[in-house]
Amino acid sequence: MTIEDKKEAAEKPLNFIEKIVEEDLRAGKNGGRVLTRFPPEPNGYLHIGHAKSICLNFGLANRYGGQTNLRFDDTNPVTEDTEYVESIKADVRWLGFEWANEFYASDYFDTLYNLAIDLIKKGLAYVDDSTAAQIAEQKGTPTEPGTGNEYRNRSIEENLALFEGMRNGQFAEGTKVLRAKIDLAAPNMLLRDPLLYRIKFAHHHRTGNKWCVYPMYDFAHGQSDSIEKITHSICTLEFVPHRDLYDWCIEKLGIFPSKQYEFARLNMTHTVMSKRKLLQLVNEGFVSGWDDPRMPTISGLRRRGFTPESIREFCDRIGIARHENLISFSLLEFCVREHLNKKARRVMAVLDPIKVIITNYPENQTELLSTENNPEDPEAGVRQVPFSRELYIEREDFMENPPPPKKWFRLGPGLMARLKSAYIIQCHDFVKDQNGHITELHCTYVANSKSGQDESGIVVKGTLHWVSVQHAHAAEVRLYDRLFKAEDMSQAEGNFQDHINPESLQRTTAFVEPCLAEAQIGQNYQFVRKGYFCLDTDSTPQKLVFNRTVTLKDSWAKVK
Ligand code: ATP
Ligand code: MG
């Protein structure tokens, strides 16, 4: 932490969870211990919403000298997979966090089973033979109490025997459930005898075929927190109604009193964030995979060139609140732009090339011109860029009929501009093909105008990027736009897939500076005037592929 960071941290008001933690510490609760957990279900890849939860949980622990457990909430055998477990661990580490312990809710299946028996023995749980529809109907409505059924009055002995039978595979799926016996008239519908266990003859990614009964979320989650002695169990707002049940189980079982706190989930513009929908995008072929650079997943953002620092900064800026809102994707882009401006090396690449011939420059001559790698970072050093008679410049930097001189500082017939780190050139002529398409510009260079030692006395305003035709490498460049057209996908009508932006990916062939042949995955570059780019995982030594992470300016705000 620099002094500025410390000052900023000191001045930043505490969020409501930090306030709670500080009160608890002052009151000497939990012996001054802070233990949080991040509890993903391994049924998909992590997304930027999870990053908010990760930054919050690990951030609290870091700030207050505590620790964070990574707990896989793997109580639903049908949707879970070890591929997801591995990706989640890689993503949390990439974001810059290290967990104290790696746990699995499935490690607690025996303990949880015994806790359920405890509840039965206390007369607080029973086996119900009703169908799901009957149970729903007997629950009543928010204004009418539930009716219940005869199974509610089963004896403790009968319940113990039946639950054991469930566990031993004596009953078919859907024929019996274990329910808590709480209150069929409770104003909170979740307290009207919620389900604790269901029968499922499914293979589990860790416990194999050992179990055919699995705990419900509400019975697994709070108890897992308690088993680990989590002090602050932080979840999203949809779990507010579950808190009563969380507390009820802990109280009745007399186990460690973990406490649940809720914050607003992250919603972002122009994307969807539920793993179910993201999985559909993958399975239905709308994207190339979970790590498609248009996906809001951590792996997608990483592949696109986002840095962990920029994601953490984003999470810090959006803060923690108790009401839901919609955060603009542009804010995340702002954060990565700021970070890359400091760290990305500047290089030249021409995305839509037009050839320039410098008619007064000797054929077969190559000059190496020094250019700074990053003007924001003197330590980044300089490199040599080859310059020769034939160059590519950006097609949009030439206009056949340019506007008046004060509005156009780039090339046109008779006009002058500077080539970055090189010379001033003047355009004299251009060549068109039979379709009227300009194929070539003929220019001259001013020999004594070399950057850094300019003695020409000529003043030009425009500086253009370029690459030398003979030295450049061709590369596929992928330009991305918003994945969905609708700003607020929670309000979008019909199938969410109908709102996909058909122009979210454009591919072009660009010409890049020779140094980019050595580009590495994970390195970020600024393609001068064109944005921040990184090498894509599809790239091979034979075929370079670059992703545009973000443009240099927020073009989206303008288009809107
Ligand atoms: P999804 O709805 O995307 O499938 P989930 O809540 O089912 O997400 P989990 O794997 O259960 O995903 O989430 C792990 C943790 O991340 C939970 O504590 C959850 O509250 C949190 N989380 C999930 N989505 C968001 C979000 N959009 N914003 C903030 N936290 C989130
Ligand atoms: Mg969940």
Side-chain angles (χ1 to χ4, degrees):
M1 245 198 201
T2 64
I3 291 171
E4 285 79 46
D5 288 340
K6 270 191 187 150
K7 219 169 120 198
E8 194 177 300
E11 281 164 11
K12 210 170 161 205
L14 298 181
N15 66 46
F16 76 93
I17 296 183
E18 289 165 343
K19 281 185 195 156
I20 291 169
V21 172
E22 292 204 357
E23 272 163 37
D24 289 350
L25 289 176
R26 268 196 297 276
K29 257 197 201 167
N30 305 311
R33 207 169 47 85
V34 175
L35 181 60
T36 58
R37 87 286 172 266
F38 174 63
E41 188 179 343
N43 62 350
Y45 282 63
L46 297 183
H47 51 62
I48 182 77
H50 292 114
K52 178 176 176 182
S53 172
I54 291 168
C55 290
L56 174 61
N57 280 298
F58 284 87
L60 274 179
N62 287 347
R63 181 165 184 155
Y64 297 106
Q67 290 188 316
T68 304
N69 287 343
L70 175 62
R71 183 197 315 139
F72 291 98
D73 203 344
D74 57 349
T75 52
N76 184 3
V78 187
T79 53
E80 294 158 5
D81 199 280
T82 34
E83 173 197 344
Y84 298 134
V85 169
E86 293 311 316
S87 77
I88 288 169
K89 291 202 286 189
D91 286 351
V92 175
R93 284 209 174 100
W94 180 76
L95 281 172
F97 300 105
E98 199 47 59
W99 47 91
N101 301 287
E102 175 183 331
F103 289 136
Y104 293 80
S106 57
D107 292 343
Y108 309 138
F109 280 168
D110 282 291
T111 312
L112 293 171
Y113 180 78
N114 290 327
L115 289 174
I117 289 178
D118 238 33
L119 281 183
I120 297 175
K121 285 184 179 161
K122 288 178 168 153
L124 293 172
Y126 61 98
V127 174
D128 193 329
D129 301 359
S130 312
T131 62
Q134 285 165 336
I135 290 178
E137 201 196 303
Q138 293 159 3
K139 262 198 176 173
T141 67
T143 50
E144 284 165 68
T147 50
N149 56 42
E150 70 270 27
Y151 306 115
R152 203 169 195 262
N153 302 319
R154 276 179 164 150
S155 69
I156 290 175
E157 289 65 36
E158 193 183 1
N159 281 320
L160 286 172
L162 288 172
F163 189 49
E164 199 179 346
M166 281 169 67
R167 185 227 162 116
N168 291 337
Q170 288 166 17
F171 307 112
E173 256 177 52
T175 58
K176 282 184 172 47
V177 289
L178 183 73
R179 298 177 71 178
K181 190 169 178 177
I182 307 181
D183 180 3
L184 286 169
N188 180 348
M189 297 290 285
L190 287 176
L191 290 183
R192 294 189 185 180
D193 292 10
L195 303 200
L196 303 179
Y197 264 91
R198 71 247 198 249
I199 300 172
K200 229 173 210 164
F201 289 92
H203 183 88
H204 186 279
H205 76 117
R206 279 173 69 87
T207 57
N209 295 325
K210 180 177 173 195
W211 294 90
C212 62
V213 287
Y214 291 95
M216 303 297 290
Y217 170 87
D218 280 316
F219 193 64
H221 199 88
Q223 285 50 254
S224 301
D225 284 344
S226 180
I227 291 167
E228 294 174 20
K229 296 195 166 52
I230 298 297
T231 56
H232 300 83
S233 170
I234 301 162
C235 59
T236 41
L237 285 178
E238 51 301 2
F239 291 99
V240 169
H242 296 251
R243 196 196 317 132
D244 289 341
L245 183 52
Y246 185 103
D247 292 340
W248 183 90
C249 289
I250 283 178
E251 185 203 322
K252 298 299 176 195
L253 290 167
I255 53 181
F256 180 83
S258 297
K259 282 277 171 202
Q260 175 183 308
Y261 303 95
E262 309 86 11
F263 71 104
R265 63 191 296 112
L266 171 65
N267 302 305
M268 283 182 85
T269 56
H270 303 285
T271 194
V272 293
M273 211 100 88
S274 102
K275 280 183 277 186
R276 185 179 55 80
K277 287 182 181 164
L278 296 175
L279 180 62
Q280 257 176 290
L281 291 176
V282 174
N283 287 343
E284 294 167 17
F286 289 102
V287 294
S288 62
W290 283 98
D291 68 346
D292 186 298
R294 292 165 294 177
M295 292 279 268
T297 50
I298 304 298
S299 48
L301 293 169
R302 174 168 59 232
R303 183 168 165 191
R304 170 109 166 232
F306 282 76
T307 57
E309 291 87 340
S310 63
I311 295 177
R312 293 200 302 260
E313 171 66 18
F314 169 77
C315 291
D316 203 40
R317 278 175 185 260
I318 57 177
I320 303 298
R322 254 185 289 214
H323 52 266
E324 294 230 358
N325 60 359
L326 186 64
I327 304 286
S328 170
F329 207 88
S330 300
L331 180 62
L332 181 59
E333 294 184 332
F334 171 84
C335 294
V336 77
R337 214 178 263 127
E338 268 207 320
H339 184 223
L340 294 183
N341 181 42
K342 285 188 225 133
K343 97 162 223 200
R345 184 167 158 178
R346 274 59 170 167
V347 292
M348 293 196 280
V350 175
L351 304 194
D352 182 12
I354 183 168
K355 198 187 247 184
V356 172
I357 303 192
I358 313 282
T359 53
N360 61 340
Y361 194 86
E363 281 183 51
N364 308 320
Q365 178 172 315
T366 297
E367 253 182 286
L368 291 175
L369 301 176
S370 268
T371 184
E372 271 181 301
N373 284 326
N374 184 355
E376 300 283 323
D377 175 10
E379 285 179 16
V382 294
R383 72 178 182 290
Q384 309 298 319
V385 188
F387 181 88
S388 65
R389 181 179 159 95
E390 296 195 5
L391 310 170
Y392 289 122
I393 66 161
E394 212 69 62
R395 182 168 288 278
E396 63 180 15
D397 285 337
F398 174 81
M399 269 180 102
E400 187 178 348
N401 297 299
K406 286 201 173 130
K407 294 202 171 140
W408 181 254
F409 303 108
R410 303 184 235 170
L411 289 180
L415 298 184
M416 290 183 149
R418 172 171 292 284
L419 295 179
K420 186 178 159 48
S421 304
Y423 298 95
I424 293 174
I425 59 168
Q426 181 171 26
C427 178
H428 298 283
D429 200 6
F430 54 87
V431 180
K432 278 186 179 176
D433 63 14
Q434 65 266 61
N435 304 319
H437 191 70
I438 297 175
T439 54
E440 219 169 84
L441 305 181
H442 294 166
C443 301
T444 52
Y445 84 117
V446 180
N448 63 351
S449 68
K450 195 163 161 179
S451 284
Q453 44 201 82
D454 184 358
E455 292 166 352
S456 71
I458 302 171
V459 178
V460 291
K461 273 203 167 166
T463 301
L464 314 181
H465 61 278
W466 53 274
V467 292
S468 159
V469 170
Q470 130 192 36
H471 302 95
H473 292 276
E476 178 181 321
V477 163
R478 299 178 182 169
L479 306 174
Y480 301 103
D481 196 353
R482 303 293 188 252
L483 185 51
F484 290 92
K485 286 175 289 178
E487 181 167 47
D488 184 353
M489 282 300 292
S490 72
Q491 304 295 318
E493 280 170 22
N495 290 331
F496 78 99
Q497 298 97 319
D498 296 343
H499 297 272
I500 290 200
N501 175 6
E503 282 155 23
S504 60
L505 167 61
Q506 281 182 45
R507 298 160 191 257
T508 69
T509 301
F511 288 99
V512 304
E513 245 189 76
C515 73
L516 284 170
E518 271 95 58
Q520 300 291 321
I521 304 274
Q523 253 178 323
N524 300 90
Y525 296 92
Q526 185 191 100
F527 287 7
V528 172
R529 297 171 73 219
K530 287 285 135 189
Y532 293 101
F533 290 76
C534 69
L535 197 69
D536 187 72
T537 46
D538 283 347
S539 204
T540 63
Q542 288 71 37
K543 189 186 176 212
L544 294 171
V545 181
F546 288 94
N547 294 317
R548 178 156 68 192
T549 310
V550 68
T551 52
L552 291 183
K553 296 208 178 85
D554 187 356
S555 55
W556 184 260
K558 254 183 270 159
V559 174
K560 253 190 343 179

